[in-house]
């Protein structure tokens, strides 16, 4: 049985497989052969290479050269996607046959919890049944720009930025139940907070938004607009909305993230 994180990796694998098919189809529609660029002094020359010929391409055939260049770019993309899918397949094959984790074992065998309570601190199930069910349930995620999902965290989530990985890793390491980019309807709009969090004791909902380009005026204005919408629906910064910010010169600090988690949840 797959965990919620393994299911997310399976979804990523399915996405990659579809992207590979799309790229392969695009490549078949492009001209045969490949583009070879050679430098001649301060200039470059283009050549069209096939299995049976190697011919010069004059500048008047730039459109044709552009198609061959696009074909080569697609080929590099295809190689990258195949490497990622190979890594995911290996990871999933290793864990598919592995035994249940200690956490799953204790959940399935409550009698062992009693026998081990003196040997292991806090040996009871990490979360309540309600929170475990919430973690295991499927949910609507943000389908926009799936190509940006490229950073794998130890939790198994695939995220959009290194800063999100810092937050995700800290939440996971501190045993805080959370979802990544879970749909949140607010009036006529649907938002996808970076992290939807349940307090491990009170089960209250919290939301965490990370704003990563605050030195960009359009981006920061959009961030402020989003905060106004949250505020109008009772999701208030420092109360049930955690916000972090960064600029190019002031990146997110992992120690600060840990401090926030301890303040709100520990």
């Amino acid at each position: 049985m797959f965990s919620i994180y393994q299911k997310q990796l399976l979804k990523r694998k399915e996405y990659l497989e579809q992207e590979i098919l799309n790229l392969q189809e695009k490549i078949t529609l492009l001209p045969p052969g490949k583009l070879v660029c050679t430098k001649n002094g301060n200039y470059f020359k283009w050549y069209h290479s096939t299995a049976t010929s190697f011919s010069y391409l004059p500048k008047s055939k730039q459109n044709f050269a552009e198609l061959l260049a696009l074909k080569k770019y697609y080929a590099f993309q295809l190689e990258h996607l195949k490497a990622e899918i190979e890594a995911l397949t290996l990871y999933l094959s290793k864990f598919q046959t592995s035994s249940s984790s200690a956490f799953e074992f204790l959940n399935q065998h409550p009698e062992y919890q009693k026998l081990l309570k003196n040997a292991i601190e806090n040996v009871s199930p990490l979360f309540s049944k309600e929170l475990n069910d919430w973690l295991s349930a499927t949910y609507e995620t943000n389908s926009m720009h799936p190509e940006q999902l490229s950073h794998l965290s130890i939790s198994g989530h695939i995220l959009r930025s290194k800063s999100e990985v810092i937050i995700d890793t800290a939440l996971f390491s501190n045993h805080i139940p959370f979802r990544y980019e879970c749909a949140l309807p607010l009036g006529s709009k649907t938002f996808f907070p970076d992290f939807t969090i349940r307090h491990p004791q009170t089960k209250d909902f919290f939301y965490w938004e990370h704003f990563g380009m605050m030195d960009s005026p359009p981006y920061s204005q959009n961030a402020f607009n989003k905060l106004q919408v949250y505020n109008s629906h009772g999701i208030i910064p420092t109360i049930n909305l955690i916000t972090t910010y960064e600029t190019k010169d002031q990146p997110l600090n992992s120690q600060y993230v840990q401090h926030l988690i301890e303040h709100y949840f520990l």
Side-chain angles (χ1 to χ4, degrees), residues 161-175:
S161 71
K162 293 179 180 178
S163 295
E164 288 184 343
V165 171
I166 291 174
I167 300 170
D168 185 282
T169 300
L171 289 169
F172 182 77
S173 300
N174 284 282
H175 308 300

Side-chain angles (χ1 to χ4, degrees), residues 12-48:
R12 174 66 176 175
K13 185 170 178 281
E14 290 171 1
Y15 165 76
L16 292 173
E17 289 171 342
Q18 186 58 52
E19 282 298 293
I20 286 173
L21 291 175
N22 292 341
L23 278 174
Q24 289 173 333
E25 184 177 356
K26 290 178 180 178
I27 289 174
T28 61
L29 299 176
L30 293 170
K34 63 181 181 179
L35 180 68
V36 177
C37 297
T38 62
K39 193 171 185 181
N40 183 17
N42 294 326
Y43 301 95
F44 282 93
K45 288 187 176 181
W46 304 331
Y47 294 90
H48 180 209

Side-chain angles (χ1 to χ4, degrees), residues 12 32 105 126-127 147 171-172 174 183 189-190 193 235-236 238:
R12 174 66 176 175
F105 171 77
L126 198 55
F127 304 128
E147 72 281 358
L171 289 169
F172 182 77
N174 284 282
K189 295 183 178 180
T190 297
I235 300 174
I236 315 297
T238 76

Side-chain angles (χ1 to χ4, degrees), residues 177-196:
F178 68 100
R179 292 175 174 178
Y180 177 65
E181 290 193 339
C182 177
L184 175 65
L186 296 177
S188 59
K189 295 183 178 180
T190 297
F191 284 68
F192 294 90
D194 293 331
F195 300 94
T196 300

Side-chain angles (χ1 to χ4, degrees), residues 41-81:
N42 294 326
Y43 301 95
F44 282 93
K45 288 187 176 181
W46 304 331
Y47 294 90
H48 180 209
S49 175
T50 67
T52 57
S53 65
F54 189 83
S55 56
Y56 171 71
L57 288 176
K59 299 301 179 184
S60 60
K61 291 191 175 181
Q62 179 169 335
N63 289 341
F64 184 73
E66 288 176 353
L67 292 176
L68 291 176
L70 182 61
K71 184 179 181 182
K72 192 161 192 173
Y73 174 71
Y74 284 159
F76 277 115
Q77 279 190 313
L78 196 60
E79 184 179 348
H80 175 79
L81 293 178

